[in-house]
Amino acid sequence: MELSGKTIAILATNGFEQSELEVPRDRLKKAGATVHVISLAEGEIKGWDMKDWGRPVKVDKTLDQAVSTDYDAIVLPGGQINPDLLRVEPKALAFIKEIFNAKKVVAAVCHAPWLLIETGIAKGRKMTSYKSIKTDVINAGALWEDSQVVVDQGVITSRNPGDLEAFSAKIIEEIKEGRHSQRSAA
């Protein structure tokens, strides 16, 4: 299996876009990775499925239980609610930044680049996002482009749920490449 022995964190809370958590999770598991859904509290988190509340997803670990060195990559699902709630949580931002600073893969889709803005990761980096936060990404100093998936030294961004297969494939590819030693810390 392509990602056998790799462990991936998916950081999310209530209001994540259903497909933006489930598609990468399922593709990474199919590729042989161990995937942990990490959230602010134990139990379950509830997704948002296009226009209404979606299905709950089991939380594997809380942020208090998760250790960044245990992970080879982090995936940040979007939706409007999820990243907006996480970007005001210091522990969530610290966890993302620790994985980034260890030169591991960081992947964000749709509105999740808000988390890359909040951590300082966006500055000077080529990125894409959902169109409604394009100005936020540009104002954070990123080089925004209207592409399905953009990769900049192990930081992967994608526009929307329609791009999830390409996004997931790129995550697998980047994890297989390993650490991005040429990348500078945020």
Side-chain angles (χ1 to χ4, degrees):
M1 310 225 39
E2 295 176 275
L3 297 183
S4 183
K6 301 294 184 183
T7 306
I8 316 305
I10 297 180
L11 178 61
T13 192
N14 290 309
F16 63 88
E17 183 62 45
Q18 199 80 44
S19 62
E20 294 174 11
L21 186 149
E22 292 177 344
V23 171
R25 177 199 64 196
D26 296 350
R27 290 270 295 163
L28 290 163
K29 283 183 175 183
K30 187 176 177 184
T34 299
V35 180
H36 294 156
V37 174
I38 298 170
S39 194
L40 304 171
E42 294 179 335
E44 295 179 333
I45 52 176
K46 197 160 190 179
W48 187 261
D49 199 0
M50 305 289 253
K51 296 184 180 188
D52 203 353
W53 288 103
R55 297 170 299 284
V57 169
K58 181 185 173 295
V59 172
D60 297 302
K61 291 187 176 191
T62 66
L63 267 170
D64 288 335
Q65 298 165 331
V67 179
S68 65
T69 55
D70 292 344
Y71 297 96
D72 297 289
I74 188 168
V75 178
L76 305 169
Q80 292 176 327
I81 301 166
N82 171 60
D84 197 41
L85 293 174
L86 288 175
R87 68 182 174 163
V88 296
E89 291 292 336
K91 285 181 183 177
L93 300 175
F95 188 72
I96 295 164
K97 205 166 181 176
E98 287 167 9
I99 290 173
F100 173 82
N101 287 342
K103 302 186 185 323
K104 297 176 184 176
V105 173
V106 175
V109 61
C110 191
H111 286 75
W114 270 338
L115 296 165
L116 305 183
I117 291 168
E118 208 61 45
T119 56
I121 294 169
K123 188 172 185 171
R125 192 161 310 284
K126 292 187 296 182
M127 292 176 56
T128 193
S129 66
Y130 190 70
K131 61 186 174 187
S132 69
I133 69 164
K134 171 184 174 181
T135 302
D136 298 342
V137 173
I138 292 168
N139 286 343
L143 308 167
W144 191 90
E145 59 183 74
D146 187 16
S147 297
Q148 184 180 41
V149 178
V150 174
V151 180
D152 188 331
Q153 297 179 355
V155 176
I156 307 161
T157 51
S158 188
R159 293 182 301 207
N160 59 51
D163 301 328
L164 289 173
E165 286 302 323
F167 177 65
S168 299
K170 192 52 83 171
I171 294 169
I172 292 167
E173 179 184 322
E174 290 293 309
I175 292 169
K176 285 170 52 178
E177 282 184 13
R179 291 185 190 234
H180 292 78
S181 57
Q182 73 279 16
R183 179 168 75 199
S184 58

